[in-house]
Amino acid sequence: MTLDGKIPGGPISEKWERRKFENKLVNPANRRKYEIIIVGTGLAGSSAAAALGEQGYRVKLFCILDSPRRAHSISAQGGINAAKNYRNDGDSIYRLFYDTVKGGDYRAREANVYRLAQLSVDIIDQCVATGVPFAREYGGLLDNRSFGGAQLSRTFYARGQTGQQLLLGAYQSMLRQVDAGNVTLFPRREMLDLVVVDGQARGIVTRNLITGDLERHEGQAVLLCTGGYGPVYYLSTNAINSNVTAAWRAHKRGALFANPCFTQIHPTCIPVSGDHQSKLTLMSESLRNDGRVWVPRKKEDTRPPEQIPEEERDYYLERRYPSFGNLVPRDVASRAAKERADEGFGVGETGLSVYLDFKEAIDRLGVETIRARYDNLFEMYKHITAEDPYKVPMRIYPAIHYTMGGLWVDYNLQSTIPGLFVLGEANFSDHGANRLGASALMQGLADGYFIASYTVANYLAGASLSKVSTDHGAFKEAAATAQARIDQVLRVKGTRTVRQFHRDLGHIMWDYVGMARTESGLNAAIQKIRALRDDFWKDVAVSGEQSNLNPMLDYAGRVADYMEFAELLALDALHRNESCGGHFREEYQTPDGEARRDDDHYSYVGAWEFTGVGTQPVLHKEALEFQEVRPSQRSYK
């Protein structure tokens, strides 16, 4: 299989305009003849439904929760990047493009990243038009703050609730189309399979999470907007209902899965406190604007932080990376925190945390300024830990947060299955091996509002689409496959809960495929994953029936998919003998502990073809070409 990214020719600044002009169009009067299925109602899904509904297409929108307002997009609190240069501090579309390519450790397509930077300026205008209450300066202009990986202020924000406010804007735009009759919303549905007819994506099979019924839905195109796969690690900052099932089932139908080992560790999370936790809480990266990260200079110093004098504190990010300080990219900050903890300088009862201290900022700016910027985040931290960050430093530690890998897509966001488009975090495309903070929201809205409406139209206008109903044999086969999977889970009647299996998988993934990876550890992880998967199918306990509300059955299906997907993630990490971004192999690091890439052998997208559970998948490579930004050793010093 030859992977064609379908990147248009010409200068990089003209590629997207060229593609828009080259694309075929669908006459407005004909759009109502097409039915488009969108799975997922976060930023990418809701904005795509709003845009396509506004254009006149008939859209079926599927939500795993009771309301799109509960999508995990609300958890991206800190802000959204855009190259508006309101601060007049040297920003530009090209600089945002450069920072993103560099931040991703030169493992993303240049053309995709440049388009993302171009569209960033339009996204802000669109969001303002939909009522997003961005923070403003005294004169009324939108305010900005800094984020990791940049030396300027380009991040637009709505206090510490940016993701929530952006989602409400997209949600309202989508509901307008529901009211107009262009979008039909199906809440509490989970996609269990993709239906492929004559090599084209033509529908999905879903489970009604209230009644347990399997439902078939036909369309001329399918858009997957189902987010990332972070909960394969069990403890992550992701919503508990986030999962890999829709993408994994599409992968088993022929969609290649790209770069699954590129998982992001966020440095600013509330630390693990015990096995009672089912998820971790993210403290926004925006806090690193005013918070200073430090550990005691003395190993295993158990004094309260306020009793440790300034000269006995190590502000290690400021010491190691003077140019960026506390705003180095997430992968760099995370590894630095782990190194300090491993060396015995960590704080807290477990020693697996570092301090994020706001005393200097409060003294300099005043408590009211800090409260205006971060109060909801401070209140959340206090509610969870019973510690007041206005008085004592926060304790933070890295945790799994975002996944840069996903289904492979070309420049048009189309997967290797014609008619299957993948948007937002569910695809692999724009972030390379590490996502810069405040860029996830940017990508989801760019894909949904501004890209999909052009590229889906081009597909529909040029595709030969036979008339298909849900009685077609492919729909019956997909429904039977989904039913067989459900029956298989219910037949086991074992003794161990689904959560126990998920927690055990998470321990394997974090210990061997987490922040630091080795060849021996990855080989051990693969064997442990296979053994745990065998145990799952022998001893998992799922009670109840299919034909009613059964959340544990739904959860079991997701964990079963994680048991298969985890092996692919570990295999991808094993084959990539280099360190880059969020993928850190201990064998491949510079003398001072930074990631060491191997551009001669691994400057490609690794896209995997499914060949069966437990069998070696086939690797396909899309070579990455860098014509604008010359790959070099990343340095934030």
Side-chain angles (χ1 to χ4, degrees):
M1 182 185 298
T2 301
L3 292 178
D4 181 6
K6 294 184 172 61
I7 300 170
I12 195 167
S13 60
E14 299 175 9
K15 289 183 184 295
W16 178 231
E17 291 301 319
R18 179 188 292 268
R19 174 52 46 86
K20 288 193 293 183
F21 177 75
E22 292 173 347
N23 278 351
K24 299 180 179 69
L25 302 177
V26 177
N27 185 290
N30 289 334
R31 292 173 191 164
R32 67 179 69 95
K33 300 177 182 178
Y34 292 101
E35 195 156 65
I36 299 172
I37 292 172
I38 300 178
V39 185
T41 53
L43 280 179
S46 290
S47 60
L52 292 166
E54 183 75 38
Q55 290 187 343
Y57 295 100
R58 291 182 294 128
V59 177
K60 288 183 176 179
L61 181 61
F62 295 84
C63 177
I64 195 172
L65 301 167
D66 54 354
S67 168
R69 293 177 62 181
R70 298 182 62 199
H72 183 62
S73 298
I74 67 170
S75 295
Q77 304 153 321
I80 177 171
N81 288 330
K84 287 283 197 181
N85 196 30
Y86 282 169
R87 290 290 183 91
N88 197 30
D89 57 357
D91 202 9
S92 65
I93 289 172
Y94 197 90
R95 187 174 292 276
L96 175 54
F97 156 69
Y98 171 82
D99 286 347
T100 306
V101 172
K102 176 184 175 182
D105 221 349
Y106 307 97
R107 290 293 176 263
R109 283 197 204 114
E110 281 192 338
N112 284 67
V113 177
Y114 193 89
R115 176 176 62 183
L116 183 62
Q118 280 180 302
L119 292 175
S120 69
V121 296
D122 298 324
I123 292 169
I124 300 303
D125 295 339
Q126 171 72 17
C127 293
V128 170
T130 58
V132 175
F134 286 121
R136 294 180 180 268
E137 295 178 335
Y138 179 76
L141 292 178
L142 299 183
D143 197 10
N144 296 123
R145 58 188 176 201
S146 300
F147 252 64
Q151 290 180 300
L152 38 74
S153 296
R154 65 160 65 101
T155 304
F156 295 78
Y157 65 98
R159 208 175 188 181
Q161 302 175 346
T162 312
Q164 179 176 341
Q165 297 301 330
L166 291 172
L167 183 63
L168 287 174
Y171 170 68
Q172 292 173 115
S173 299
M174 179 270 292
L175 280 185
R176 179 173 177 270
Q177 297 307 313
V178 172
D179 185 65
N182 297 326
V183 174
T184 303
L185 180 62
F186 293 85
R188 301 295 290 161
R189 302 307 203 279
E190 181 169 21
M191 174 180 158
L192 295 186
D193 213 340
L194 178 74
V195 179
V196 180
V197 178
D198 299 328
Q200 299 167 314
R202 293 303 304 272
I204 61 174
V205 172
T206 64
R207 172 174 154 86
N208 185 315
L209 299 181
I210 302 299
T211 67
D213 294 337
L214 293 186
E215 303 168 343
R216 310 174 194 174
H217 298 274
E218 181 272 335
Q220 282 75 47
V222 177
L223 278 60
L224 284 191
C225 311
T226 51
Y229 46 83
V232 68
Y233 289 84
Y234 186 64
L235 286 182
S236 78
T237 67
N238 290 259
I240 294 174
N241 280 319
S242 299
N243 64 83
V244 79
T245 288
W248 186 247
R249 305 284 173 95
H251 172 60
K252 295 171 83 168
R253 290 290 176 182
L256 299 192
F257 212 113
N259 297 340
C261 77
F262 289 166
T263 55
Q264 181 167 79
I265 316 292
H266 198 295
T268 317
C269 302
I270 296 179
V272 175
S273 59
D275 283 343
H276 64 282
Q277 292 170 286
S278 58
K279 73 177 298 293
L280 298 176
T281 301
L282 171 69
M283 289 286 100
S284 170
E285 183 176 320
S286 63
L287 294 170
R288 289 199 278 151
N289 272 280
D290 291 305
R292 300 179 70 193
V293 180
W294 65 276
V295 293
R297 292 187 180 276
K298 177 184 175 182
K299 286 187 177 182
E300 300 176 357
D301 192 333
T302 59
R303 288 177 292 174
E306 63 272 17
Q307 295 181 13
I308 301 177
E310 194 73 16
E311 62 272 14
E312 296 183 32
R313 300 180 179 190
D314 178 16
Y315 295 91
Y316 59 89
L317 291 179
E318 298 173 30
R319 170 173 56 83
R320 294 182 185 180
Y321 309 102
S323 293
F324 284 75
N326 295 297
L327 288 174
V328 291
R330 292 173 177 178
D331 61 321
V332 177
S334 295
R335 283 196 297 273
K338 181 179 185 298
E339 184 274 335
R340 289 290 81 191
D342 290 348
E343 291 297 317
F345 295 97
V347 301
E349 292 183 4
T350 64
L352 296 177
S353 56
V354 299
Y355 289 128
L356 181 62
D357 196 337
F358 292 86
K359 184 179 186 304
E360 187 273 337
I362 291 173
D363 291 343
R364 174 170 47 87
L365 301 171
V367 69
E368 290 306 317
T369 298
I370 299 302
R371 181 172 285 114
R373 292 176 179 176
Y374 311 115
D375 188 53
N376 61 307
L377 298 174
F378 279 37
E379 287 298 319
M380 182 168 63
Y381 181 88
K382 183 179 179 180
H383 181 75
I384 293 172
T385 66
E387 297 174 1
D388 186 351
Y390 288 107
K391 298 178 181 178
V392 297
M394 289 184 178
R395 288 179 297 105
I396 58 169
Y397 199 66
I400 294 290
H401 175 57
Y402 187 89
T403 54
M404 286 74 67
L407 294 182
W408 183 91
V409 293
D410 60 21
Y411 187 76
N412 298 325
L413 305 184
Q414 186 169 225
S415 73
T416 47
I417 300 176
L420 176 64
F421 294 80
V422 190
L423 281 59
E425 191 180 359
N427 73 33
F428 87 97
S429 64
D430 293 358
H431 305 297
N434 176 61
R435 176 178 68 84
L436 288 186
S439 288
L441 301 177
M442 180 170 61
Q443 188 211 346
L445 291 175
D447 290 357
Y449 275 137
F450 297 107
I451 300 175
S453 54
Y454 284 98
T455 60
V456 172
N458 177 65
Y459 168 75
L460 294 174
S464 176
L465 297 165
S466 58
K467 188 173 183 180
V468 173
S469 75
T470 54
D471 291 327
H472 189 280
F475 277 89
K476 294 179 180 178
E477 186 273 332
T481 300
Q483 183 63 58
R485 183 80 160 183
I486 293 170
D487 293 343
Q488 184 182 8
V489 170
L490 289 172
R491 271 198 307 268
V492 178
K493 300 187 184 305
T495 61
R496 297 178 61 195
T497 67
V498 180
R499 190 164 300 281
Q500 286 176 308
F501 277 105
H502 194 183
R503 186 184 290 115
D504 289 348
L505 177 63
H507 283 309
I508 295 169
M509 297 301 291
W510 181 252
D511 291 343
Y512 298 100
V513 204
M515 273 202 285
R517 304 160 178 180
T518 64
E519 180 179 4
S520 60
L522 291 168
N523 279 314
I526 291 168
Q527 297 307 314
K528 289 175 180 292
I529 291 166
R530 290 173 176 172
L532 185 65
R533 185 171 63 230
D534 289 343
D535 289 344
F536 177 89
W537 289 112
K538 295 175 183 176
D539 199 27
V540 68
V542 180
S543 59
E545 302 175 353
Q546 177 208 340
S547 57
N548 55 24
L549 179 71
N550 192 342
M552 194 51 62
L553 174 59
D554 306 326
Y555 182 33
R558 297 163 198 161
V559 172
D561 289 332
Y562 280 138
M563 293 286 179
E564 297 173 2
F565 168 71
E567 183 176 341
L568 179 66
L569 196 161
L571 283 169
D572 188 44
L574 180 63
H575 106 275
R576 193 171 281 276
N577 293 321
E578 64 167 353
S579 292
C580 55
H583 168 63
F584 191 76
R585 288 279 297 271
E586 291 185 355
E587 306 97 319
Y588 307 101
Q589 54 183 302
T590 64
D592 56 352
E594 303 294 344
R596 178 164 59 84
R597 295 192 323 273
D598 183 351
D599 292 333
D600 291 338
H601 298 98
Y602 295 98
S603 187
Y604 60 75
V605 177
W608 297 90
E609 179 183 354
F610 181 76
T611 58
V613 177
T615 63
Q616 182 68 27
V618 177
L619 175 63
H620 302 274
K621 301 177 182 179
E622 179 200 350
L624 293 170
E625 298 179 2
F626 295 93
Q627 299 174 340
E628 295 289 331
V629 181
R630 182 180 178 83
S632 61
Q633 175 65 39
R634 278 198 309 167
S635 175
Y636 293 93
K637 296 182 177 181

